[in-house]
Amino acid sequence: MKVLVTGGAGFIGSHLCDLLISAGHHAVAFDDLSTGTLENVAHLSGHPLFSFVRADIRDARAVEGAMASCDAVVHLAARIGLKIIVESPLETIEVNARGTETVLEVASRRRVRTIVASTSEVYGHSTRIPSAESDPICFGSPTIGRWSYACAKAYDEFYALALHQERGLPAIVVRLFNTVGPRQTGRYGMVIPRFVTQALAGEPLTVYGDGTQTRCFCSVDDVVGALLAMLERSDVAVGQVFNIGNPEETSIESLAKLVIEMTGSASGIRYVPFSDAYPVGFEEIMRRVPNIDKARELLGFSPRSTLRSILDDVIASVDRRERTA
Ligand code: UDP
């Protein structure tokens, strides 16, 4: 296969390019380098199965050109990270809704197999835990900036499924839960790279609120494996929505303690009130757990990594990066 990976120089996208190439496929990374970096794909530069296009997904001609000879698209490009979302709502909506429309319209005209990356954020304040794909979703008010991200992604889901239904786009929607691993940066707020960097620097770990909120962390290797499985099993995957995540649930406070233990750091914990941690326009989600029965049954998805093994990898990679910096 030749696969267009939008957001291909980002954290998940670059790992997907690695996996595609190691499986003998051609990866075309398409990225505007707004949050992705050339460093993430530097090791692939010059590889005969890799090419890179620097462009914006709102640029229909660039998308058209990059998709021209591709058999599939994995659409990961998006504005991400709570800080960017809350501070740049217009850009978030334009890229995450309008940019996705552009990618999907081109894919639809070409009838190219398409995976659209959605997010566990779409469950919002849903009280059904663990959350399954058919559960109702529950957003906060549009006056709270955070929800523009979930809302744009939910719109992307509707649009992909509508193009599938009415125009035969072979579309698959994937709701990614918290995904972690090497190359993820803490710059946009993500908790694990932040805690590991803080612990290795001997600084206090910044637990927001009282740390009783929970998340489930899935390794990026498990996630990109699931994306490839969806492309390979498009006979069962097309027209479906899948949760992809690891149901192992942990509180943020116990995550901080585990990072301190595993790094052997002398750091302590600093509890930061949400009002100090985030700009206005924030509402915390207190619990988020995926129900992955559907991906398990239809795709044989079974996350292999544990939180400890993920942290081992992240600690080693942050350590390496700091040493070479
Ligand atoms: N968090 C934290 N300290 C940090 C960064 C994040 O306590 O330095 C918390 C955050 O409030 C949330 C969880 O960690 O409850 C996961 O945050 P992240 O931004 O990684 O993902 P998301 O909120 O999108 O699940």
Side-chain angles (χ1 to χ4, degrees):
M1 283 185 291
K2 186 169 182 184
V3 183
L4 179 65
V5 181
T6 71
F11 159 54
I12 301 175
S14 63
H15 282 276
L16 178 60
C17 290
D18 288 345
L19 178 64
L20 287 167
I21 289 168
S22 71
H25 302 296
H26 192 136
V28 181
F30 185 106
D31 205 299
D32 69 354
L33 300 181
S34 54
T35 53
T37 65
L38 285 179
E39 197 190 333
N40 284 343
V41 288
H43 59 289
L44 296 175
S45 163
H47 194 293
L49 293 176
F50 179 73
S51 45
F52 179 75
V53 178
R54 181 175 184 173
D56 187 311
I57 52 168
R58 288 167 291 184
D59 179 347
R61 283 179 62 180
V63 173
E64 191 95 51
M67 212 186 287
S69 56
C70 289
D71 309 293
V73 183
V74 182
H75 176 45
L76 295 164
R79 290 287 174 267
I80 49 141
L82 263 176
K83 196 169 147 50
I84 292 177
I85 287 154
V86 172
E87 288 175 0
S88 313
L90 199 54
E91 177 82 1
T92 300
I93 293 164
E94 282 179 359
V95 173
N96 295 1
R98 218 173 282 161
T100 298
E101 273 179 17
T102 305
V103 173
L104 290 177
E105 276 157 15
V106 177
S108 176
R109 277 199 297 279
R110 303 184 56 82
R111 293 277 173 103
V112 172
R113 245 174 303 166
T114 304
I115 298 180
V116 180
S118 181
T119 166
S120 56
E121 280 274 320
V122 298
Y123 290 108
H125 290 306
S126 168
T127 49
R128 288 200 197 164
I129 304 280
S131 305
E133 293 85 350
S134 53
D135 287 348
I137 56 183
C138 177
F139 292 158
S141 162
T143 57
I144 308 290
R146 169 180 198 139
W147 299 106
S148 70
Y149 178 72
C151 211
K153 288 284 186 177
Y155 167 76
D156 295 344
E157 294 195 19
F158 279 120
Y159 196 56
L161 294 173
L163 286 171
H164 168 66
Q165 186 185 321
E166 294 198 35
R167 305 229 180 109
L169 171 69
I172 303 160
V173 173
V174 55
R175 291 186 187 148
L176 300 178
F177 283 66
N178 295 63
T179 303
V180 287
R183 295 184 206 150
Q184 185 177 41
T185 162
R187 211 174 300 140
Y188 309 109
M190 284 67 173
V191 67
I192 286 191
R194 282 176 57 81
F195 280 1
V196 169
T197 305
Q198 290 165 340
L200 290 177
E203 293 164 3
L205 275 64
T206 51
V207 168
Y208 298 162
D210 63 3
T212 55
Q213 70 271 35
T214 71
R215 291 294 185 272
C216 296
F217 296 98
C218 189
S219 100
V220 69
D221 291 337
D222 285 325
V223 167
V224 297
L227 296 174
L228 181 56
M230 281 171 207
L231 292 178
E232 289 173 344
R233 294 301 320 273
S234 54
D235 54 323
V236 293
V238 161
Q240 302 291 335
V241 179
F242 292 100
N243 285 341
I244 293 295
N246 186 333
E248 186 187 347
E249 186 179 10
T250 181
S251 77
I252 297 303
E253 184 185 49
S254 48
L255 172 70
K257 288 181 179 160
L258 185 59
V259 170
I260 290 170
E261 176 209 309
M262 288 181 65
T263 50
S265 170
S267 295
I269 291 178
R270 184 159 65 88
Y271 293 87
V272 182
F274 289 122
S275 54
D276 292 350
Y278 289 114
V280 179
F282 173 77
E283 261 173 20
E284 178 62 305
I285 291 166
M286 291 308 287
R287 242 188 122 190
R288 184 190 279 157
V289 184
N291 175 327
I292 56 167
D293 290 350
K294 186 171 172 184
R296 212 192 288 277
E297 278 157 30
L298 293 184
L299 304 167
F301 173 65
S302 171
R304 270 180 276 180
S305 309
T306 61
L307 184 55
R308 276 184 181 270
S309 70
I310 293 170
L311 288 175
D312 269 334
D313 286 351
V314 175
I315 291 165
S317 88
V318 173
D319 199 28
R320 225 176 9 248
R321 203 168 50 212
E322 315 259 284
R323 272 175 219 274
T324 53

